[in-house]
Amino acid sequence: MPITRRHMLSATAGSMLLPSVSWGRVLGANERLNMAVIGTGGMGTGHLRGMVNDKAKENIDVLGVCDVYRRRLNEAQRIAKLDDTAAVIEYERILDNPDIDAVLIATPDHWHCKMAIEAMEAGKDVYVEKPLSHTIEQALACRDAVKRTGRVLQVGPQGTSDGRFWAARHAIADGRIGPVTWSQGAYCRNSRGGQFNWHIHPGCGPQNATDSDNYVDWDRWLGHEHGLAPKIPWNEDHFFRFRKYLAYNGGLATDLMYHRLAPLLLAIEGHDGAYPRRVVASGGRYLEKDERDIPDTFFMMADYPSEHTVVLSSVMTNDDTWPYVIRGRHATMEFGGGIDMHQQRPWEKEFKAANADILGDDTSTCSMPSVSRRSHRDNFFDAVRNGDTLACNVDLGCATMVAIKMGVDAWAQDKVLRWDPVKEVVVAS
Ligand SMILES: NC(=O)c1ccc[n+]([C@@H]2O[C@H](COP(=O)([O-])OP(=O)(O)OC[C@H]3O[C@@H](n4cnc5c(N)ncnc54)[C@H](O)[C@@H]3O)[C@@H](O)[C@H]2O)c1
């Protein structure tokens, strides 16, 4: 049998040349990319269907699926048309399969980094859903693991693949709106039944036979043996509605604000993002007073060392939202089909000079088109295959996570939090 790159192991002389702890194959530009999905709930199943549909177009295949809930695992197996050995409850079996090149992780947040780090150490590339992690320590460890292993890792906020933010990045770097001082983003909803009170399948849980559709490996979902979450008895509200509980995520901040902050940081700071200097937060559980411990109305502000502030709001009790806006000394940037820039009158001269190439008859305002980009997932395939620039690399994903988690903790602890960039720890005051 010819030795293919797929079968290369780290214990060869070549291992000296690569940073990987161990590596999978190096994929040729025309070779098929073999994926697996870990966590086939709402988002993972969406990704799975997308990849199955795009098999031929993207030259990919799905060789494995994994979930601790038998019903979802069975459904994923059907969608991907896999045999029983390729549909597993234990994610380690996916990582042990040398034919799988990359994994897409769409479990609840508290598992993201453990799985991502182990996958990279097993020589696989990783697409990990947002937010990058549950804790700051996990995010930093994952960032360091990417550097150590040399693997490709895309974090999942798909807004970073929105070409308007890449156009904004160029415009800001070119000085078209002057120095940025503040920006805003929001993600708001309203519902009668209580936000995140999603459907519960009755009768599920670890008490069922392991081959029953209703079986859940609850210990594996919690991950308490790895210190990922506290050990508690089976709780269907926690299982089906994990976003309501700080034990597994940061509520609105990690579920929704992360989507807003990552593109803003991309546009303002560049594609590696930046760590905040100080974070404050406010809000409360004003109306949704069920068993949840997350706020229903949440605001945070993050100050950055490059001297701008990001203001974020996420409100589940009123869905009148704010658009994205980035404010510079010379102009304000708004996001429509492309980006629109409106001058600040005292800085008219500077605005005209910086935008002379695109000004029309009305010289107080101008627009730039969006940049055309492939989808977030396809960008990951391109990065694995051709080394293309990732839309949300681990640096941007980690920097976003640090600010977002500081927001969660500032609210929960009722404190102002600062980031120590040397020790990479949060300091409370
Ligand atoms: N990018 C986006 O727009 C977007 C949208 C929705 C969700 N997400 C993210 O995707 C992730 C999943 O969200 P969801 O709504 O799909 O949740 P979900 O509860 O519907 O799905 C998560 C699945 O992971 C499984 N799981 C949990 N622990 C596991 C383990 N140890 N091994 C294998 N499987 C395990 C669960 O059984 C469940 O089926 C979250 O982190 C969320 O933030 C992103």
Side-chain angles (χ1 to χ4, degrees), residues 109-113 131-142 227-229 246-250 254 397-398 401-402 404-406 409 419 426:
D109 312 3
H110 59 294
W111 270 99
H112 285 181
C113 283
L132 175 58
S133 65
H134 182 34
T135 69
I136 288 177
E137 294 73 20
Q138 290 166 357
L140 297 173
C142 191
L228 300 179
L246 292 173
Y248 318 110
N249 83 135
T254 48
C398 183
M401 191 67 223
V402 166
I404 290 288
K405 178 63 172 159
M406 284 173 72
D409 291 346
W419 180 246
V426 176

Side-chain angles (χ1 to χ4, degrees), residues 42-43 67 72 106-107 109 112 129-130 158 220-221 243:
M43 198 59 189
D67 202 288
R72 290 182 180 153
T107 62
D109 312 3
H112 285 181
E129 259 310 337
K130 51 56 57 180
Q158 60 270 31
R220 275 190 170 268
W221 190 92
R243 288 166 174 81

Side-chain angles (χ1 to χ4, degrees), residues 356-405:
D357 55 331
I358 52 173
L359 285 178
D361 293 342
D362 177 357
T363 57
S364 67
T365 181
C366 59
S367 301
M368 287 183 73
S370 179
V371 172
S372 169
R373 292 185 59 84
R374 299 238 297 151
S375 78
H376 205 55
R377 201 171 49 234
D378 295 350
N379 166 242
F380 171 69
F381 299 148
D382 294 342
V384 170
R385 248 187 244 292
N386 312 321
D388 281 17
T389 302
L390 288 162
C392 190
N393 66 25
V394 78
D395 292 301
L396 178 58
C398 183
T400 305
M401 191 67 223
V402 166
I404 290 288
K405 178 63 172 159

